[in-house]
Amino acid sequence: MSLMVVSVVCVGFFLVQRACPYTGGQDKTSLSAQPNTLVPQGGHVTLRCHYRRGFNNFTNFTLYKDDRSHVPVFHSRIFQQSFLMGPVTPADAGTYRCRGSYPHSPTEWSALSDPLEIMVTGVHRKPSLLALPGPLVKSGETVTLQCSSDTVFGHFFLHSEVNFEEPLHLVGELHGGGSQANYSINSTTSDLAGTYRCYGSVTHSPYVLSAPSDTLDIVITGKYEKPSLSAQPGPTVQAGENVILSCSSRCSFDMYHLSREGEARELSLSAVPSVNGTFQADFPLGPATHGGTYRCFGSFRTAPYKWSDPSDPLPVSVTGNPSRSRPSPTEPSSKTGIPRHLHVLIGTSVVMILFTIFFFLLHRWCSNKKNAAVMDQEPAGDRTVNREDSDEPDPQEVTYAQLDHRVLTQGKITRPSQRPKTPPTDTSVYTELPNAEPRSKVVFYP
Ligand SMILES: *[C@@H]1O[C@H](CO)[C@@H](O)[C@H](O)[C@H]1NC(C)=O
Ligand SMILES: *[C@@H]1O[C@H](CO)[C@@H](O)[C@H](O)[C@H]1NC(C)=O
Ligand SMILES: *[C@@H]1O[C@H](CO)[C@@H](O)[C@H](O)[C@H]1NC(C)=O
Ligand SMILES: *[C@@H]1O[C@H](CO)[C@@H](O)[C@H](O)[C@H]1NC(C)=O
Ligand SMILES: *[C@@H]1O[C@H](CO)[C@@H](O)[C@H](O)[C@H]1NC(C)=O
């Protein structure tokens, strides 16, 4: 009976507490972590308990962990101002709440704060983070951030200091032998530009995280009008010649970014105002070795991850230096498969031409043996004598020599004309890239 009374009183107290919390809406209790709720294993984190929406600290507060909100953690310790936790271990990962005592009535304790997840990082191997189709996202398009690992992670957390206050939880799915999670963001509806990392954790301890993935910078393009891109001395340069790409615009961009098709990283340079009212950056590419298709973008200092539309693509091609690229005996001709293929073709042609000449000459020699009288142009007197004399082959040898010379000359004329003028040109390969615009070409020089 008395037990029942106690129960009713407890339930009643609980209901009253729920209906009339100690703190009004204004005095909401909250727990904060500095510098971050993601704490590297062995690192430190400072916890503070706040009231009045985080504007004031509780001088004295207690902490609760996970679902044991009736048992203060750390032996009923009362913390003053702040609690420096660390060096943290995986056992410290979890959900924390706090209660503070008000300065005006130290015996009165605040309501329990909202939960705060403290995550300990660096316990598992880092996953990899990828943007699909790529990290430069045209304004209005959607990008998928894909976090994947060869470890089976039940949870992934996507972190971006700019865009989410707390790491965004994603459910890990089995993929191949490991796991993966996709997060798609529409760039029209959310401000997604910034630096991202992701972490993974196993199902039974969600807040014990892997090391962070490598960072991924998501840039939104198409925010401002396109700059123009030009090459000095021109879009076609000799190998070894210095190339400078200039990006300029009438917009007062602070920075320019130069991207080369097929390369992940962009070069960035500050813009310099010119006397004619344009803002320009000159990218020195150094001595040209291989060509490529370039684009540039402009941006402002206040929004480093928001770029202009890309400039028109600029294909830069490099022509070889004939003196340098003459094949040398020490240099193997097998730098790429294609020149070797050409050499085989040329070699075969030469052998076939020589065989043709040989058979032609053999045929001519046999015919001459039979029709020597008809073919002979020498004065008749001497010839009759000489013709009967089979030991006198001189006139025939002259004919052979002339014939031989004529065929070889023809060969010498025709073969080089089928070949390109300079050796490096025949080793250039023009490759159409899958994502490239029709006129964009990348030139490789072995
Ligand atoms: C909380 O107290 C600390 C001193 O312990 C102070 O540096 C900090 O600014 C205070 N924060 C807020 C939000 O009042
Ligand atoms: C905080 O707690 C200490 C005892 O641990 C007490 O002496 C002090 O008065 C309290 N301060 C406030 C502002 O509640
Ligand atoms: C993530 O997206 C990629 C590309 O759309 C797809 O191949 C992959 O299966 C997706 N993974 C998951 C776990 O949904
Ligand atoms: C992105 O959001 C905008 C505005 O809500 C919408 O018009 C557009 O269709 C969305 N794009 C995609 C790919 O979902
Ligand atoms: C402006 O001046 C820079 C050099 O200061 C030059 O490279 C650029 O071509 C000029 N642009 C125009 C539009 O005249």
Side-chain angles (χ1 to χ4, degrees):
M1 194 61 195
S2 61
L3 193 72
M4 206 176 137
V5 171
V6 169
S7 304
V8 167
V9 167
C10 282
V11 168
F13 179 74
F14 178 75
L15 287 177
V16 166
Q17 206 186 15
R18 292 305 290 266
C20 317
Y22 277 59
T23 55
Q26 206 200 18
D27 263 9
K28 198 164 169 53
T29 307
S30 63
L31 182 63
S32 73
Q34 288 293 326
N36 210 307
T37 55
L38 294 165
V39 192
Q41 192 171 6
H44 291 77
V45 61
T46 300
L47 300 181
R48 282 195 186 91
C49 196
H50 304 265
Y51 61 101
R52 297 217 177 109
R53 296 190 185 280
F55 290 114
N56 289 69
N57 290 335
F58 279 111
T59 309
N60 290 355
F61 66 95
T62 53
L63 279 178
Y64 305 84
K65 186 169 182 268
D66 299 330
D67 293 326
R68 292 166 292 142
S69 53
H70 53 291
V71 187
V73 75
F74 311 120
H75 313 291
S76 311
R77 244 177 90 184
I78 292 177
F79 302 104
Q80 305 204 318
Q81 310 285 355
S82 64
F83 170 47
L84 178 67
M85 184 162 76
V88 301
T89 67
D92 292 322
T95 304
Y96 288 81
R97 292 166 197 260
C98 71
R99 254 187 232 279
S101 72
Y102 294 102
H104 54 268
S105 51
T107 52
E108 191 187 346
W109 289 88
S110 75
L112 208 54
S113 72
D114 288 335
L116 179 75
E117 283 83 33
I118 295 294
M119 305 186 186
V120 177
T121 68
V123 182
H124 309 292
R125 208 141 58 86
K126 71 174 179 184
S128 60
L129 181 59
L130 198 70
L132 301 169
L136 300 188
V137 185
K138 199 166 153 46
S139 184
E141 285 182 352
T142 295
V143 65
T144 298
L145 303 185
Q146 182 179 82
C147 193
S148 48
S149 171
D150 45 20
T151 307
V152 177
F153 286 136
H155 310 274
F156 283 104
F157 292 90
L158 190 62
H159 183 59
S160 161
E161 262 148 47
V162 184
N163 300 307
F164 322 124
E165 276 180 34
E166 289 167 15
L168 185 77
H169 177 247
L170 305 170
V171 175
E173 288 173 31
L174 288 176
H175 188 90
S179 53
Q180 196 178 69
N182 286 338
Y183 181 61
S184 294
I185 321 174
N186 182 341
S187 65
T188 308
T189 51
S190 67
D191 194 6
L192 62 92
T195 300
Y196 292 80
R197 281 184 174 89
C198 80
Y199 300 83
S201 67
V202 297
T203 308
H204 60 267
S205 46
Y207 302 130
V208 177
L209 305 191
S210 67
S213 68
D214 292 336
T215 58
L216 174 68
D217 290 341
I218 297 290
V219 170
I220 305 297
T221 66
K223 289 283 180 187
Y224 324 106
E225 70 179 48
K226 67 179 177 187
S228 61
L229 182 62
S230 62
Q232 276 88 48
T236 303
V237 291
Q238 288 265 308
E241 201 174 351
N242 280 312
V243 192
I244 295 170
L245 297 188
S246 299
C247 193
S248 71
S249 170
R250 299 215 156 263
C251 296
S252 56
F253 290 128
D254 294 312
M255 296 291 290
Y256 283 110
H257 314 274
L258 182 71
S259 80
R260 183 171 182 272
E261 212 163 77
E263 250 169 43
R265 289 269 158 194
E266 294 83 23
L267 297 172
S268 298
L269 272 185
S270 295
V272 177
S274 306
V275 280
N276 54 22
T278 62
F279 293 80
Q280 184 170 327
D282 295 330
F283 293 89
L285 296 189
T289 51
H290 53 299
T293 299
Y294 292 85
R295 287 176 177 81
C296 76
F297 304 81
S299 73
F300 295 100
R301 195 166 288 122
T302 48
Y305 295 110
K306 287 172 187 165
W307 294 2
S308 69
D309 265 324
S311 66
D312 291 333
L314 177 71
V316 173
S317 53
V318 181
T319 57
N321 182 348
S323 67
R324 261 192 7 170
S325 49
R326 194 190 304 133
S328 91
T330 53
E331 202 174 51
S333 64
S334 55
K335 278 192 216 154
T336 70
I338 282 90
R340 190 196 295 179
H341 175 69
L342 278 182
H343 290 163
V344 169
L345 266 185
I346 292 165
T348 313
S349 312
V350 168
V351 168
M352 281 176 70
I353 288 167
L354 288 177
F355 261 102
T356 312
I357 294 165
F358 175 76
F359 280 112
F360 183 73
L361 292 181
L362 195 68
H363 178 77
R364 280 297 291 261
W365 185 74
C366 292
S367 312
N368 284 348
K369 277 278 179 192
K370 281 191 233 161
N371 310 313
V374 182
M375 288 182 68
D376 209 334
Q377 303 290 309
E378 292 290 321
D382 293 329
R383 305 200 93 236
T384 356
V385 179
N386 288 341
R387 201 182 305 127
E388 300 305 316
D389 187 0
S390 51
D391 294 328
E392 182 70 322
D394 279 354
Q396 287 164 8
E397 289 206 345
V398 170
T399 314
Y400 298 158
Q402 281 172 344
L403 185 67
D404 191 52
H405 182 249
R406 190 164 50 88
V407 172
L408 284 177
T409 307
Q410 276 178 350
K412 272 181 194 159
I413 290 163
T414 52
R415 277 190 293 118
S417 71
Q418 287 162 353
R419 266 200 286 183
K421 271 175 196 157
T422 51
T425 324
D426 68 19
T427 57
S428 66
V429 183
Y430 289 79
T431 309
E432 208 81 46
L433 291 179
N435 295 333
E437 290 179 33
R439 57 176 287 214
S440 310
K441 285 191 167 120
V442 171
V443 189
F444 300 100
Y445 285 91

